[in-house]
């Protein structure tokens, strides 16, 4: 597609359940980022993929969070045993050189 | 450590006004600076990217300037319209290591009143 595509756009889940969020970056973009934005807060870096290099996972808040990127394209962010503080919008972005392009986000609510 | 600050945090203006949003950063060794727009309940839309070697970029009614030495960028919006109402964010890539993650300001929430 023309832009970064994320799914689901909205997810309501019960505390303790696992969730998977998907990101389909712009074709040809080698860099892929996940960010999180909680209500009223700034954007928080989670994880960075660049080509075939090992991902930078330094922003993941706990070991309940993990992400993978298959075939250098689609990425999945997994949150295990969700907690209420995980409620946020999860934004995926991709870039080829300098400009960074974002998806519409996945809005996660943990009840 | 790079820090990005945006002033003002919120701005309300009548339609038709020209306005300036400010962004400052503490480490002048940046690769580029990017301005984004975020509408309520939406993702981020890239507005303008200024490379470190550039002084300004223009797109329609938007003009972004960059002064690396003083650690500042401004986003100028001419003849504002109600449709410009959104949160405007500036960001610079981290220059620590190979991860070009973006360092963000908290944004300026703009309301343009008809």
């Amino acid at each position: 597609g023309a832009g970064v595509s994320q799914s689901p756009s909205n997810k309501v889940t019960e505390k303790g359940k696992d969730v998977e969020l998907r990101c389909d970056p712009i074709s040809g973009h080698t860099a892929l980022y996940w960010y999180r934005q909680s209500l009223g807060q700034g954007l928080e870096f989670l994880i960075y993929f660049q080509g075939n290099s090992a991902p930078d996972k330094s922003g993941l808040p706990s070991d309940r969070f993990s992400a993978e990127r298959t075939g250098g394209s689609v990425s999945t962010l997994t949150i295990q045993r969700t907690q209420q503080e995980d409620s946020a919008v999860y934004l995926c972005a991709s870039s080829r050189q300098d400009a960074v392009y974002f998806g519409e986000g996945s809005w996660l609510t943990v009840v | 450590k790079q820090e990005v600050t945006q002033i003002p945090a919120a701005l309300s203006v009548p339609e038709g006004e020209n306005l300036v949003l400010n962004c400052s950063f503490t480490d002048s060794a940046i690769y580029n600076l990017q301005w984004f727009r975020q509408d309520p309940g939406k993702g981020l839309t890239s507005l303008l990217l200024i490379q470190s070697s550039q002084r300004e970029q223009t797109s329609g009614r938007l003009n972004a300037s960059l002064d690396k030495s003083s650690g500042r960028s401004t986003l100028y919006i001419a003849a504002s319209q109600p449709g410009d109402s959104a949160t405007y964010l500036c960001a610079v890539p981290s220059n620590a290591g190979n991860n070009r993650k973006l360092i963000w300001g908290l944004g300026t929430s703009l309301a343009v009143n008809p």
Side-chain angles (χ1 to χ4, degrees):
Chain A
V4 178
S5 178
Q6 291 188 245
S7 62
S9 54
N10 284 284
K11 176 74 175 179
V12 179
T13 191
E14 292 181 352
K15 178 181 173 181
K17 300 280 190 181
D18 297 352
V19 295
E20 285 190 352
L21 308 176
R22 175 188 168 106
C23 173
D24 199 344
I26 294 172
S27 178
H29 281 196
T30 55
L32 186 148
Y33 302 81
W34 283 97
Y35 291 87
R36 176 170 73 173
Q37 187 178 33
S38 302
L39 188 63
Q41 302 295 314
L43 279 89
E44 174 187 6
F45 165 76
L46 297 178
I47 189 168
Y48 164 65
F49 296 90
Q50 173 60 269
N52 296 320
S53 302
D56 180 343
K57 305 179 182 180
S58 61
L60 295 178
S62 77
D63 59 8
R64 295 186 295 106
F65 288 74
S66 63
E68 62 177 20
R69 188 179 185 191
T70 54
S73 181
V74 172
S75 176
T76 302
L77 176 69
T78 301
I79 309 173
Q80 296 178 309
R81 304 180 303 282
T82 52
Q83 303 294 314
Q84 288 185 329
E85 61 262 29
D86 299 335
S87 296
V89 57
Y90 290 81
L91 292 159
C92 177
S94 70
S95 70
R96 187 162 61 100
Q97 290 184 342
D98 294 323
V100 180
Y101 297 92
F102 281 79
E104 292 287 307
S106 290
W107 298 77
L108 176 65
T109 302
V110 182
V111 297
Chain B
K1 177 185 174 183
Q2 180 73 275
E3 293 182 359
V4 178
T5 305
Q6 291 187 245
I7 295 173
L11 185 62
S12 180
V13 300
E15 181 176 5
E17 275 204 7
N18 303 322
L19 52 99
V20 175
L21 308 181
N22 297 291
C23 172
S24 61
F25 44 94
T26 55
D27 184 350
S28 62
I30 62 170
Y31 293 99
N32 57 59
L33 184 144
Q34 200 163 355
W35 282 92
F36 295 86
R37 166 184 175 143
Q38 186 173 32
D39 292 275
K42 297 286 189 179
L44 282 80
T45 301
S46 177
L47 296 174
L48 290 164
L49 170 73
I50 313 177
Q51 299 290 355
S52 62
S53 58
Q54 297 175 321
R55 296 292 296 230
E56 66 178 325
Q57 281 285 342
T58 298
S59 176
R61 293 182 294 107
L62 305 180
N63 176 277
S65 67
L66 176 64
D67 183 343
K68 278 183 57 178
S69 60
S70 66
R72 293 179 183 176
S73 176
T74 61
L75 179 67
Y76 177 82
I77 303 177
S80 58
Q81 302 172 358
D84 295 330
S85 299
T87 296
Y88 291 80
L89 294 146
C90 70
V92 296
S94 169
N95 54 14
N98 295 320
N99 181 353
R100 296 288 177 256
K101 66 181 180 182
L102 293 173
I103 311 298
W104 297 87
L106 291 180
T108 293
S109 178
L110 172 65
V112 180
N113 306 303

